[in-house]
Every structure is written in C-alpha cells, then in structure tokens.
Coordinates of all heavy atoms in Angstrom, one line a residue:
R29 N -15.1 -5.7 -3.2 CA -15.9 -6.4 -4.2 C -16.9 -5.5 -4.8 O -17.4 -5.7 -5.9 CB -16.6 -7.6 -3.5 CG -15.7 -8.7 -3.3 CD -16.4 -10.0 -2.8 NE -15.5 -11.1 -2.7 CZ -14.9 -11.4 -1.5 NH1 -15.2 -10.8 -0.4 NH2 -14.0 -12.4 -1.5
A30 N -17.3 -4.4 -4.2 CA -18.2 -3.4 -4.7 C -17.6 -2.5 -5.8 O -18.3 -1.9 -6.5 CB -18.8 -2.5 -3.6
L31 N -16.2 -2.6 -5.9 CA -15.5 -1.7 -6.9 C -15.5 -2.4 -8.2 O -15.6 -3.6 -8.4 CB -14.1 -1.5 -6.4 CG -13.9 -0.8 -5.1 CD1 -12.4 -0.8 -4.8 CD2 -14.4 0.6 -5.1
S32 N -15.4 -1.6 -9.3 CA -15.3 -2.1 -10.6 C -13.8 -2.6 -10.8 O -12.9 -2.3 -10.0 CB -15.6 -1.1 -11.7 OG -14.7 0.0 -11.7
D33 N -13.6 -3.3 -12.0 CA -12.2 -3.7 -12.3 C -11.2 -2.6 -12.4 O -10.1 -2.7 -12.0 CB -12.2 -4.6 -13.5 CG -13.0 -5.9 -13.3 OD1 -13.1 -6.4 -12.2 OD2 -13.4 -6.5 -14.3
T34 N -11.7 -1.5 -13.0 CA -10.8 -0.4 -13.2 C -10.5 0.3 -11.9 O -9.3 0.8 -11.7 CB -11.4 0.7 -14.2 OG1 -12.7 1.1 -13.8 CG2 -11.5 0.1 -15.6
E35 N -11.4 0.4 -11.0 CA -11.2 1.0 -9.7 C -10.2 0.1 -8.9 O -9.4 0.6 -8.1 CB -12.5 1.1 -8.9 CG -13.4 2.2 -9.5 CD -14.8 2.2 -8.9 OE1 -15.3 1.2 -8.5 OE2 -15.4 3.3 -8.9
I36 N -10.3 -1.2 -9.0 CA -9.4 -2.1 -8.3 C -8.0 -1.9 -8.9 O -7.0 -1.8 -8.1 CB -9.8 -3.6 -8.5 CG1 -11.1 -3.8 -7.6 CG2 -8.7 -4.5 -8.0 CD1 -11.7 -5.2 -7.7
A37 N -7.9 -1.7 -10.2 CA -6.6 -1.5 -10.8 C -6.0 -0.2 -10.3 O -4.8 -0.1 -10.0 CB -6.7 -1.5 -12.3
E38 N -6.8 0.8 -10.2 CA -6.3 2.1 -9.7 C -5.9 2.0 -8.3 O -4.9 2.6 -7.9 CB -7.4 3.2 -9.9 CG -7.7 3.6 -11.3 CD -8.9 4.4 -11.5 OE1 -9.6 4.8 -10.5 OE2 -9.3 4.8 -12.6
A39 N -6.7 1.3 -7.5 CA -6.3 1.1 -6.1 C -5.0 0.3 -5.9 O -4.2 0.7 -5.0 CB -7.4 0.4 -5.3
L40 N -4.8 -0.6 -6.8 CA -3.5 -1.4 -6.8 C -2.3 -0.4 -7.1 O -1.3 -0.5 -6.5 CB -3.5 -2.5 -7.8 CG -4.2 -3.8 -7.3 CD1 -4.4 -4.8 -8.4 CD2 -3.4 -4.4 -6.2
D41 N -2.5 0.4 -8.1 CA -1.5 1.4 -8.5 C -1.2 2.3 -7.3 O 0.0 2.6 -7.0 CB -1.9 2.2 -9.7 CG -1.9 1.3 -11.0 OD1 -1.2 0.2 -11.0 OD2 -2.5 1.7 -12.0
A42 N -2.2 2.8 -6.7 CA -2.0 3.7 -5.6 C -1.3 3.0 -4.4 O -0.5 3.6 -3.7 CB -3.4 4.3 -5.1
A43 N -1.7 1.7 -4.2 CA -1.0 1.0 -3.1 C 0.5 0.8 -3.4 O 1.3 0.9 -2.5 CB -1.7 -0.3 -2.9
H44 N 0.8 0.5 -4.7 CA 2.2 0.3 -5.0 C 3.0 1.6 -4.8 O 4.1 1.5 -4.2 CB 2.3 0.0 -6.5 CG 2.1 -1.5 -6.8 ND1 3.0 -2.5 -6.6 CD2 1.0 -2.1 -7.4 CE1 2.5 -3.6 -7.0 NE2 1.3 -3.4 -7.5
I45 N 2.4 2.7 -5.1 CA 3.1 4.0 -4.9 C 3.3 4.3 -3.5 O 4.4 4.7 -3.0 CB 2.4 5.1 -5.7 CG1 2.5 4.9 -7.2 CG2 2.9 6.5 -5.3 CD1 1.5 5.8 -8.0
E46 N 2.2 4.1 -2.7 CA 2.3 4.3 -1.3 C 3.3 3.4 -0.6 O 4.0 3.8 0.3 CB 0.9 4.3 -0.6 CG 0.9 4.7 0.8 CD -0.5 4.8 1.4 OE1 -1.5 4.5 0.7 OE2 -0.6 5.0 2.6
M47 N 3.3 2.1 -1.0 CA 4.2 1.2 -0.3 C 5.7 1.6 -0.7 O 6.5 1.5 0.2 CB 4.0 -0.3 -0.8 CG 2.8 -0.9 -0.1 SD 2.8 -2.7 -0.3 CE 2.5 -2.9 -2.1
F48 N 5.9 2.0 -1.9 CA 7.2 2.5 -2.2 C 7.7 3.6 -1.3 O 8.8 3.7 -0.8 CB 7.3 2.9 -3.7 CG 8.6 3.5 -4.0 CD1 9.7 2.8 -4.3 CD2 8.7 4.9 -4.2 CE1 10.9 3.4 -4.6 CE2 9.9 5.5 -4.5 CZ 11.0 4.8 -4.7
N49 N 6.8 4.6 -1.2 CA 7.1 5.8 -0.3 C 7.3 5.4 1.1 O 8.2 5.9 1.8 CB 6.0 6.8 -0.5 CG 5.9 7.5 -1.8 OD1 6.9 7.6 -2.5 ND2 4.7 7.9 -2.3
L50 N 6.5 4.5 1.6 CA 6.6 4.1 3.0 C 7.9 3.3 3.2 O 8.6 3.5 4.3 CB 5.4 3.2 3.5 CG 4.1 4.0 3.6 CD1 3.0 3.1 3.9 CD2 4.2 5.1 4.7
R51 N 8.3 2.4 2.3 CA 9.5 1.7 2.4 C 10.7 2.7 2.4 O 11.7 2.5 3.1 CB 9.6 0.7 1.3 CG 8.8 -0.6 1.5 CD 9.2 -1.7 0.6 NE 9.2 -1.3 -0.8 CZ 8.2 -1.5 -1.7 NH1 7.1 -2.1 -1.3 NH2 8.3 -1.1 -2.9
F52 N 10.6 3.7 1.5 CA 11.7 4.7 1.4 C 11.8 5.4 2.8 O 12.9 5.6 3.3 CB 11.4 5.6 0.3 CG 12.5 6.6 0.0 CD1 13.7 6.2 -0.6 CD2 12.4 7.9 0.5 CE1 14.7 7.1 -0.8 CE2 13.5 8.8 0.3 CZ 14.6 8.4 -0.4
Q53 N 10.7 5.8 3.3 CA 10.7 6.6 4.6 C 11.3 5.7 5.7 O 12.0 6.2 6.6 CB 9.2 7.0 5.0 CG 8.7 8.1 4.1 CD 7.3 8.4 4.5 OE1 6.7 7.9 5.4 NE2 6.6 9.3 3.6
R54 N 10.9 4.4 5.7 CA 11.5 3.5 6.7 C 13.0 3.4 6.6 O 13.7 3.3 7.6 CB 10.8 2.1 6.6 CG 11.3 1.1 7.6 CD 10.7 -0.3 7.5 NE 11.1 -0.8 6.2 CZ 10.7 -1.9 5.6 NH1 9.7 -2.6 6.2 NH2 11.1 -2.3 4.5
S55 N 13.5 3.3 5.3 CA 14.9 3.2 5.2 C 15.7 4.4 5.6 O 16.9 4.2 6.0 CB 15.2 2.8 3.7 OG 15.0 4.0 2.9
V56 N 15.1 5.6 5.5 CA 15.8 6.8 6.0 C 15.5 7.1 7.4 O 15.9 8.1 7.9 CB 15.6 8.0 5.1 CG1 16.2 7.7 3.7 CG2 14.2 8.3 5.0
G57 N 14.6 6.3 8.1 CA 14.3 6.6 9.5 C 13.2 7.6 9.7 O 13.2 8.2 10.8
Q58 N 12.4 7.9 8.7 CA 11.4 8.9 8.9 C 10.0 8.4 8.9 O 9.0 9.2 8.7 CB 11.5 10.0 7.8 CG 12.8 10.7 7.8 CD 12.9 11.7 6.6 OE1 12.1 11.7 5.7 NE2 13.9 12.6 6.7
L59 N 9.8 7.1 9.0 CA 8.5 6.5 9.0 C 7.7 6.8 10.3 O 8.1 6.4 11.4 CB 8.6 5.0 8.8 CG 7.3 4.2 8.6 CD1 6.5 4.7 7.4 CD2 7.6 2.7 8.5
A60 N 6.6 7.5 10.2 CA 5.9 8.0 11.3 C 5.0 6.9 11.9 O 4.9 6.7 13.1 CB 5.0 9.2 11.0
D61 N 4.4 6.1 11.0 CA 3.5 5.0 11.5 C 3.9 3.7 10.9 O 3.5 3.4 9.7 CB 2.0 5.4 11.1 CG 1.0 4.4 11.6 OD1 1.3 3.6 12.5 OD2 -0.1 4.4 11.1
P62 N 4.7 2.9 11.6 CA 5.1 1.6 11.0 C 4.0 0.6 10.8 O 4.1 -0.2 9.9 CB 6.1 1.1 12.0 CG 6.0 2.0 13.2 CD 5.2 3.2 12.9
N63 N 2.9 0.8 11.5 CA 1.8 -0.1 11.3 C 1.1 0.1 9.9 O 0.4 -0.8 9.4 CB 0.8 0.0 12.4 CG 1.3 -0.5 13.7 OD1 2.1 -1.4 13.7 ND2 0.9 0.2 14.8
R64 N 1.2 1.3 9.4 CA 0.6 1.6 8.1 C 1.2 0.7 7.0 O 0.4 0.3 6.1 CB 0.8 3.1 7.7 CG 0.2 3.5 6.4 CD -1.3 3.4 6.3 NE -1.7 3.7 5.0 CZ -2.7 3.0 4.4 NH1 -3.3 2.0 5.0 NH2 -3.0 3.3 3.1
L65 N 2.5 0.4 7.0 CA 3.1 -0.4 6.0 C 2.5 -1.8 6.0 O 2.1 -2.4 5.0 CB 4.6 -0.4 6.2 CG 5.4 -1.1 5.1 CD1 5.1 -0.5 3.7 CD2 6.9 -1.1 5.4
R66 N 2.3 -2.3 7.2 CA 1.7 -3.7 7.3 C 0.3 -3.7 6.9 O -0.1 -4.6 6.1 CB 1.8 -4.1 8.8 CG 1.3 -5.5 9.0 CD 1.6 -6.0 10.4 NE 1.2 -7.4 10.5 CZ 0.3 -7.9 11.4 NH1 -0.3 -7.1 12.3 NH2 0.1 -9.2 11.5
S67 N -0.5 -2.7 7.3 CA -1.9 -2.7 6.9 C -2.0 -2.5 5.4 O -2.9 -3.1 4.7 CB -2.7 -1.6 7.6 OG -2.2 -0.4 7.3
L68 N -1.1 -1.8 4.8 CA -1.1 -1.5 3.3 C -0.8 -2.8 2.6 O -1.4 -3.1 1.5 CB -0.2 -0.4 3.0 CG -0.2 0.1 1.5 CD1 -1.6 0.6 1.2 CD2 0.8 1.1 1.3
R69 N 0.1 -3.6 3.1 CA 0.4 -4.9 2.5 C -0.8 -5.8 2.5 O -1.0 -6.5 1.5 CB 1.6 -5.6 3.2 CG 3.0 -5.0 2.8 CD 4.1 -5.9 3.2 NE 4.0 -6.6 4.5 CZ 4.5 -6.2 5.6 NH1 5.3 -5.1 5.7 NH2 4.3 -6.9 6.7
H70 N -1.5 -5.8 3.6 CA -2.7 -6.6 3.7 C -3.8 -6.2 2.7 O -4.4 -7.0 2.1 CB -3.3 -6.6 5.1 CG -2.5 -7.4 6.1 ND1 -2.9 -8.6 6.6 CD2 -1.3 -7.2 6.6 CE1 -2.0 -9.1 7.4 NE2 -1.0 -8.2 7.5
E71 N -3.9 -4.9 2.6 CA -4.9 -4.3 1.6 C -4.5 -4.7 0.2 O -5.4 -5.0 -0.6 CB -5.0 -2.8 1.8 CG -6.0 -2.2 0.9 CD -6.1 -0.7 1.1 OE1 -5.9 -0.2 2.2 OE2 -6.4 0.0 0.1
H72 N -3.2 -4.6 -0.1 CA -2.7 -4.9 -1.4 C -3.0 -6.4 -1.7 O -3.5 -6.7 -2.8 CB -1.2 -4.7 -1.5 CG -0.6 -4.9 -2.8 ND1 0.1 -6.1 -3.0 CD2 -0.6 -4.2 -3.9 CE1 0.5 -6.0 -4.3 NE2 0.1 -4.9 -4.8
A73 N -2.8 -7.3 -0.7 CA -3.1 -8.7 -0.9 C -4.6 -8.9 -1.2 O -5.0 -9.8 -2.0 CB -2.6 -9.5 0.3
R74 N -5.4 -8.2 -0.4 CA -6.9 -8.3 -0.6 C -7.3 -7.9 -2.1 O -8.1 -8.6 -2.7 CB -7.7 -7.5 0.4 CG -7.8 -8.1 1.7 CD -8.7 -7.2 2.6 NE -8.4 -7.5 4.0 CZ -7.7 -6.6 4.7 NH1 -7.3 -5.4 4.2 NH2 -7.4 -6.9 6.0
L75 N -6.7 -6.8 -2.5 CA -7.0 -6.4 -3.9 C -6.6 -7.4 -4.9 O -7.4 -7.7 -5.8 CB -6.3 -5.1 -4.2 CG -6.8 -3.8 -3.4 CD1 -5.8 -2.7 -3.5 CD2 -8.1 -3.4 -4.1
L76 N -5.4 -8.0 -4.8 CA -5.0 -9.0 -5.7 C -5.8 -10.3 -5.6 O -6.1 -10.9 -6.7 CB -3.5 -9.4 -5.4 CG -2.5 -8.3 -5.7 CD1 -1.1 -8.7 -5.2 CD2 -2.4 -8.0 -7.2

C-alpha cells in the first residue's frame, strides 16, 4: 500500500517473469525452493 501505482505495476511484471521462470524450473526438475513458487503466488494475489 505504500507503493505507487507504477511501482505496483512493475512489481506485478517482475512477479510474472519470476513465476514463469520458477514454473519452468519445476517442469525440468531444477527447482531449488518449491516454497518460493507458493509465496510468489500469494504476493502476486496481494498486488492484484
């Protein structure tokens, strides 16, 4: 809530990119921290 609208938009873009990378890593079996994907989904939902 302390962020501006543009900062929220940038954070959403960054979350989309990171979620894509984590899902890709999971599919090839290289995901180091599976909990990061779940916490990132929660953060994405908070931003939205």
Side-chain angles (χ1 to χ4, degrees):
R29 285 189 177 97
L31 299 176
S32 69
D33 291 339
T34 56
E35 290 172 330
I36 289 176
E38 291 171 1
L40 278 168
D41 290 340
H44 280 285
I45 293 168
E46 188 176 355
M47 278 195 297
F48 173 79
N49 290 332
L50 290 174
R51 285 193 308 262
F52 186 76
Q53 288 175 8
R54 183 182 61 190
S55 69
V56 296
Q58 295 179 352
L59 185 60
D61 184 14
N63 292 326
R64 177 66 185 138
L65 187 57
R66 182 172 189 237
S67 65
L68 189 60
R69 281 197 322 261
H70 286 253
E71 182 178 330
H72 182 258
R74 280 188 207 103
L75 288 164
L76 290 174

